[in-house]
Amino acid sequence: MANSPKNKSMFFGQTALADKPTSKSINPNGGILGLIFREIEHLGKLNIRGDQSINAAVKVAIGCNFPSSENQFQSAGERHVIWLSPDEHLLLCEAGKEKILQDDLTRMIKTENFAITDVSDSLCALSLSGPAVRDVLAKGCSLDLHPSKFFSGACAQSLLSHAAVTLMALSNDKFILICRTSFAPYVHDWLVDASLEYGYQFAV
Amino acid sequence: MAQNQPDRGQRGLPGGSPRYSALALAKKAMNYHQDWQRAWRDPEPKSEYDAIIIGGGGHGLATAYYLAAVHGINNIAVIEKGWIGGGNTGRNTTIIRSNYLWDESAAIYEHSMKLWEGMTQDLNFNVMFSQRGVLTIAHSEHELREMSRRVHAIRLNGIDSEILGSAEIKKFVPTINIDQSIRYPVMGGFLQKRGGTARHDAVAWGYARAADDLGVDIIQKCEVTGLRRQGRKIIGVETSRGFIKTKKVGCVVAGHSSVVAAMAGIHLPVASRPLQALVSEPIKPILNTVIMSNAVHMYISQSDKGEMVLGAGVDKYNSYAQRGSFSVPEHMLAAAVELFPVLSRLRMLRHWGGIVDTCPDASPIISKTDIEGLYFDCGWGTGGFKATPGSGHVFADLIANDRPNKIAAPYTLDRFSSGLLIDEHGAAGVAH
Amino acid sequence: MLIIPCPHCGPRDEIEFACGGEAHIARPLVENKISDAEFANYLFIRDNTKGLFLERWHHSAGCRKWFNLARDTFTHEIIEVYPMGSLPKKASARTSYSSSWRRGTLAEKAAKTGKHSQTEGRK
């Protein structure tokens, strides 16, 4: 298993990719590995339903506003607030912090028309980096992932070879990919297969 | 040189000698084969007929043939806006079977199967009916149980069906992959040995020639633009070649059923969807049966030319474009390659689409309407080809006698008000 | 591949969507007081237009919002995208809506007014 030792007592249960061992393959063209990816274990994830009227409370509780337009995310330190739809956002926060933030938000939001759902275990977050990350994702995703279009701060829900994913571009060659936990082994296997021609490493 | 005289109402030549024979072949060769009699005429539409069939596909031509052959009604015309068999009849993957769940379905599809078994003789036209078997694969415990239920229901209706285990399937289909670790493993299947394929074009041509021989006018490149009524009675059809008077109109236009129905203010529960199919480059025989898989949405057989013939489910939006999106065949081929790894290096030779008229219960409509003399045979969705003779036969009976026979009776338009649906989504194979 | 212009996420491949069929079918609110035939109009009978067709789409792999499209079912051209719960603005789409037989059905009238009539309309 791969829980970081100092946090081991905090987190229960298996992580999404617990059954996948560390693996790698060399870049057949020589040179550095094209894709390095790993699971961001136990990343806190809250699904926030509610319209713009709850933005103020979110800002106070989380530390950042909703993104100002669609298909973007706002960051505050390690926290990211991801636009999913006009009245749905996904909050990513430090592992273990999600319950406190959920309580804070629930207490602070004055309207009745909202819902905060802890999806930390139902979703799996992968960190992807390397010079080939966009090329690998483009094999299974029809979005325009060119850095001029899908720049740092961009996000989108789409399909990666039939699996529903949320993609976030942190920089030119660094992404976070979120998928359902039940799909994580499939997404892992697909990423391995798709990145063989660039060289990859999956680190547990 | 012999003049090219059209022979009417006769299967042979005026002197009584057969139309096609070794002697005829030799004689025609003398004039470079220019004098062969047209298999069906290309007449000008008359001003009036006793009945008009709108739609010159397999079902429409079969209806016309049986009206003439069984009911003696031959002062009729088939009106086709394009060329005969150019719609779904020319676009299907030619699968023929009668292994349906409900009694009502067993009745019509088995009625059709029995007509297939005598068709080449009846029409004196080789439709290349090949009873090579149709095998439907079960990929899960649930499907095994469901399949068992279906086989019992099918056999209780006196129709052949048997269950095979994966080892028996491997013996029957050596090129199939029965590795149990694939995403959808072959856990078993049920086989109808009498099922198989036929050459789709030949069916249209066979019925066309036979109907024409009996005096039926087949009028192509003639589009129906209106249904003229007097009160609640049909009095004729408006066409691109003029108005034609008649008291009976049978509409057999598949994907365009709603368009024609609207001409009489009739509303159907039909949605027209794209259905795609494709063939591979031809190869030596590797598959001598028909394989269908509900779970992976694929059906495959090998044509006599050696092409692998493949089809999948419908595209999930309404369309009259006779084409669909690549994502559907792509998804289907991924599954096909997993089941038949030998396919993986084949190239796609040809790909096309049709317009299938799907019904909410995946069963057809064979019905009178509330307009006297107006009848509809439609809603066959993705499963019309196998029903070609049966549909034509019972629709002819309905038109001739103005009442459905026992086989056609459950398929009224009224069932969508009464709730007596015949839900065949499971046995429709793939599709909706 | 159809490219569907989601009003929130922008143009995406059709595989991210589910098509919800004919748009603007009002559910009769007094379904126990209309005839079976009238209820069948709501439940099963469908427009199946060759040409400009008003339909519903769901961005199932994206924002999960529903919206309406005016799309030509022969050419696949998309004429208009408009919000769920509203009517199209383009003239051709508006005409398609207002001239539909469905506007005259008892089921639609019952849905709008909450009242019903015992007389069946005839075309």
Side-chain angles (χ1 to χ4, degrees), chain B residues 178-410:
Chain B
I178 58 165
D179 183 347
Q180 295 296 302
S181 70
I182 64 176
R183 175 62 183 88
Y184 289 105
V186 174
M187 293 183 73
F190 68 111
L191 170 68
Q192 179 177 26
K193 284 202 173 122
R194 286 163 63 237
T197 61
R199 187 183 174 200
H200 49 30
D201 299 322
V203 177
W205 300 336
Y207 274 117
R209 193 185 72 178
D212 179 273
D213 280 349
L214 293 172
V216 173
D217 281 359
I218 296 170
I219 300 161
Q220 299 175 75
K221 294 244 180 71
C222 181
E223 182 170 359
V224 169
T225 54
L227 295 171
R228 203 187 279 186
R229 292 152 279 160
Q230 197 162 65
R232 307 292 299 170
K233 275 161 88 137
I234 278 285
I235 59 169
V237 299
E238 317 272 6
T239 79
S240 53
R241 289 162 74 170
F243 172 70
I244 306 174
K245 207 164 156 214
T246 188
K247 292 204 173 72
K248 293 195 184 218
V249 175
C251 301
V252 206
V253 295
H256 279 76
S257 297
S258 302
V259 174
V260 175
M263 295 175 189
I266 288 170
H267 309 292
L268 301 173
V270 161
S272 293
R273 296 275 156 95
L275 184 62
Q276 303 177 65
L278 59 98
V279 292
S280 72
E281 55 184 322
I283 53 173
K284 292 195 175 172
I286 59 157
L287 179 65
N288 60 359
T289 187
V290 181
I291 303 288
M292 301 187 72
S293 166
N294 289 5
V296 304
H297 276 214
M298 176 216 71
Y299 29 97
I300 182 173
S301 63
Q302 187 165 19
S303 75
D304 292 331
K305 285 194 281 184
E307 301 152 325
M308 305 310 298
V309 183
L310 290 131
V314 293
D315 288 67
K316 292 180 171 56
Y317 49 83
N318 287 15
S319 169
Y320 288 80
Q322 292 178 315
R323 61 188 160 90
S325 302
F326 184 61
S327 49
V328 173
E330 186 184 19
H331 197 72
M332 178 273 290
L333 288 168
V337 167
E338 191 172 61
L339 273 181
F340 291 94
V342 69
L343 300 179
S344 67
R345 281 181 293 170
L346 288 184
R347 280 161 291 194
M348 185 166 76
L349 179 62
R350 201 161 45 246
H351 158 256
W352 63 89
I355 312 165
V356 292
D357 42 334
T358 62
C359 266
D361 59 355
S363 288
I365 296 168
I366 309 168
S367 184
K368 294 168 67 161
T369 63
D370 59 3
I371 291 174
E372 190 184 321
L374 184 60
Y375 310 88
F376 271 83
D377 182 327
C378 63
W380 292 93
T382 58
F385 179 67
K386 68 177 81 70
T388 302
S391 157
H393 191 261
V394 306
F395 195 46
D397 192 338
L398 170 60
I399 295 170
N401 295 306
D402 196 38
R403 58 93 196 99
N405 63 22
K406 223 173 84 160
I407 293 173

Side-chain angles (χ1 to χ4, degrees), chain C residues 20-123:
Chain C
E22 183 188 343
H24 309 302
I25 304 175
R27 187 196 172 95
L29 297 174
V30 286
E31 61 257 28
N32 58 335
K33 296 191 174 108
I34 59 177
S35 69
D36 284 348
E38 282 296 329
F39 194 64
N41 282 342
Y42 157 73
L43 194 57
F44 292 123
I45 306 298
R46 286 294 177 267
D47 276 350
N48 186 27
T49 317
K50 181 177 185 179
L52 196 152
F53 186 55
L54 305 180
E55 52 187 17
R56 313 178 303 177
W57 282 79
H58 180 227
H59 195 184
S60 44
C63 62
R64 303 187 301 138
K65 294 299 185 193
W66 284 86
F67 55 93
N68 291 315
L69 279 189
R71 182 179 64 91
D72 188 305
T73 58
F74 185 52
T75 63
H76 295 173
E77 180 192 353
I78 291 169
I79 285 102
E80 188 179 347
V81 188
Y82 56 104
M84 182 56 60
S86 74
L87 293 180
K89 293 201 162 62
K90 291 236 163 82
S92 53
R94 251 305 158 81
T95 307
S96 171
Y97 171 78
S98 48
S99 64
S100 167
W101 64 281
R102 218 181 261 291
R103 305 287 84 79
T105 59
L106 287 175
E108 180 147 317
K109 289 191 183 122
K112 284 204 158 69
T113 65
K115 300 195 186 108
H116 66 284
S117 160
Q118 292 299 345
T119 51
E120 295 262 295
R122 274 280 204 187
K123 281 243 168 247

